[in-house]
Amino acid sequence: MAILQARRELLIGGEWVRTTGRLEVHDPATGEVLADIADATAQEALQAVGAAHDAFGSWSQTSARQRAEILRRSFEIMTAEIEDCARLICLENGKAWGDALGEATYAAEFFRWFSEEACRIAGDFRYAPNGDKTIIVDHRPMGVAYMITPWNFPAAMATRKLAPALAAGCTAVLKPAAETPLTALWVADVVQRAGAPAGVVNVVTTSQAGPVSEAVLADPRTATLSFTGSTYVGKLLLGQTARRVLPSSMELGGNAPLIVLEGTDVGRAVEGAMVAKMRNGGSACTAANRMYVHESVAENFSEQLQTALASLRIGPGIDRTNDLGAMVSLKERDKVLDLVAAAEGEGAQAVAVSQAPVSGAFLAPRVVRGVEHGSVLTRSEIFGPVAPIVTFSDTDEAVRMANDTEYGLISYVFARDNGQGIEVARRLESGMVAVNRGVASDPAAPFGGMKESGLGREGGFAGIHEFLETQYFAVDL
Ligand code: NAD
């Protein structure tokens, strides 16, 4: 497939640079090698930092309109070639075609949204209350932004960082996950073709995420870190950024509760739960991880959910008739199976609702009943197509269980009506709450978590400020 031959090297200062070290990218549906790409050392990554640093001076001085137009062109190119992007996502990540196309479209929208935001970076002008001076507040680009992205949304996590950084006037060094680097290379190529000057976007693919990132973060030319990944790695990186008091935006793990209240239309709740649970085959930080269902509807909900899950066709994502693709690797699949086995060991009943293909990293969905709050499935980020159901009898108890976690990314509430839903949503400790719907993500909305799910917000009006430094001028006017 031509798309697999396209970009395989490091992008440094506008050049595709070949490395001696090589990294194989696999198709998790077949186990086949898709491509052999650059495997950067820390030294090579620092060359990318140098290129980004060199480009920053002139890029930060371009007009907002110029930056906006490059981002707008990126959106247009990506939209025109959306199926190429979806194909790459399917092949290297394993997800189903519908999910891949959905992700590619969502990813392109970050270019459009931030092309609009680039021209709306507002300052502030005020007189001091005591009248002795004028307060002028300005926002200026931070400099070189280092970006680390996970494998589960290889396009959207890259554009959610690149678009606001470029809109703000920062330059970027992007380090995608080793499992899914091809999509990130493709996205970077789009931005190049849209007219980004050499060095504005650099990409470093590597199997040595730890040492490469440590070197980049220690380099005084790196101005900020934007990380999306697990809370475990996020904490490790915060230890490193603390050494240089480096601004750090953290989009970390989740353990989303999904609450179905008494009086809810069960059909609607199941429809929402299917999206909340199964988007990306369950490998999403926003995936509904624990379902708290009122005892009056629990049986009906579980049965309808089981039927809906059983109707999903499982197979390679690249075959457009499949609804559920492969997991990213056998290792990730086995992690999920181990969690299910641990839950069974605790007395829960897991039912595999269908059969998955035997070869490849496929996993049939499971509904798990008889789950107690506090048991393994309610404490762990499952990251796969497994739906644990816990019943409750009283709303206060549901809110208490939902909040009983160190995570706080997103929650879902299904209620009789939006009034009842919002009332419960306000009591939940999460950065986002979807009320009577299965998806919340939108480039125009602030995405991010409370507690150990992260620091800062991406998207919305807030996203661009992760790449801007506030500067205040005191002036006697
Ligand atoms: P991960 O933390 O293992 O890896 C994420 C990225 O960090 C990858 O690029 C990886 O190469 C890199 N990395 C790994 N070890 C590192 C180290 N020592 N130093 C520097 N970089 C390192 O996470 P993952 O398994 O790729 O992704 C799944 C996790 O990401 C889940 O916890 C999920 O909830 C989270 N996630 C969060 C969001 C969000 O917006 N909050 C979005 C998607 C995924």
Side-chain angles (χ1 to χ4, degrees), residues 192-203:
Q192 294 291 108
R193 286 189 278 141
V200 168
V201 174
N202 304 274
V203 184

Side-chain angles (χ1 to χ4, degrees), residues 156-181:
M157 298 304 96
T159 59
R160 198 166 78 178
K161 297 182 189 310
L162 286 174
L166 267 54
C170 288
T171 54
V173 176
L174 170 65
K175 192 216 77 64
E179 294 85 345
T180 55

Side-chain angles (χ1 to χ4, degrees), residues 148-153 157 160 175-179 209-210 213 227-231 233-234 236-237 240 251-254 284-285 332 381 383 409 447 453 458:
I148 305 179
T149 52
W151 49 259
N152 63 340
F153 287 98
M157 298 304 96
R160 198 166 78 178
K175 192 216 77 64
E179 294 85 345
S213 300
F227 173 74
T228 298
S230 61
T231 297
V233 174
L236 211 83
L237 291 168
Q240 294 171 27
E251 294 292 344
L252 308 178
C285 53
E332 286 298 318
E381 189 176 23
F383 238 57
L409 188 62
F447 188 106
S453 284
E458 291 190 323

Side-chain angles (χ1 to χ4, degrees), residues 38-39 138 149 166 285 302 318 344 353 370 373 378 385 414 420 474 477:
D39 188 0
D138 190 16
T149 52
L166 267 54
C285 53
S302 308
I318 203 74
E344 286 174 325
V353 301
H373 174 71
T378 66
F414 289 88
Q420 187 198 27
L477 281 186

Side-chain angles (χ1 to χ4, degrees), residues 120 174 180 189 272 422 427 452 457:
R120 317 229 187 292
L174 170 65
T180 55
D189 186 50
I422 288 276
R427 298 171 63 194
E452 294 192 12
R457 293 293 181 269

Side-chain angles (χ1 to χ4, degrees), residues 91-168:
L91 288 171
E92 64 177 356
N93 169 280
K95 69 177 76 172
W97 176 257
D99 280 332
L101 195 59
E103 183 194 341
T105 308
Y106 172 56
E109 286 294 339
F110 283 102
F111 284 132
R112 174 150 69 171
W113 172 256
F114 284 107
S115 75
E116 292 155 353
E117 286 300 282
C119 299
R120 317 229 187 292
I121 304 171
D124 186 7
F125 178 97
R126 277 178 288 139
Y127 297 107
N130 68 4
D132 78 335
K133 62 181 151 337
T134 306
I135 295 169
I136 299 173
V137 182
D138 190 16
H139 299 289
R140 42 193 279 186
M142 285 177 175
V144 176
Y146 184 47
M147 303 165 176
I148 305 179
T149 52
W151 49 259
N152 63 340
F153 287 98
M157 298 304 96
T159 59
R160 198 166 78 178
K161 297 182 189 310
L162 286 174
L166 267 54

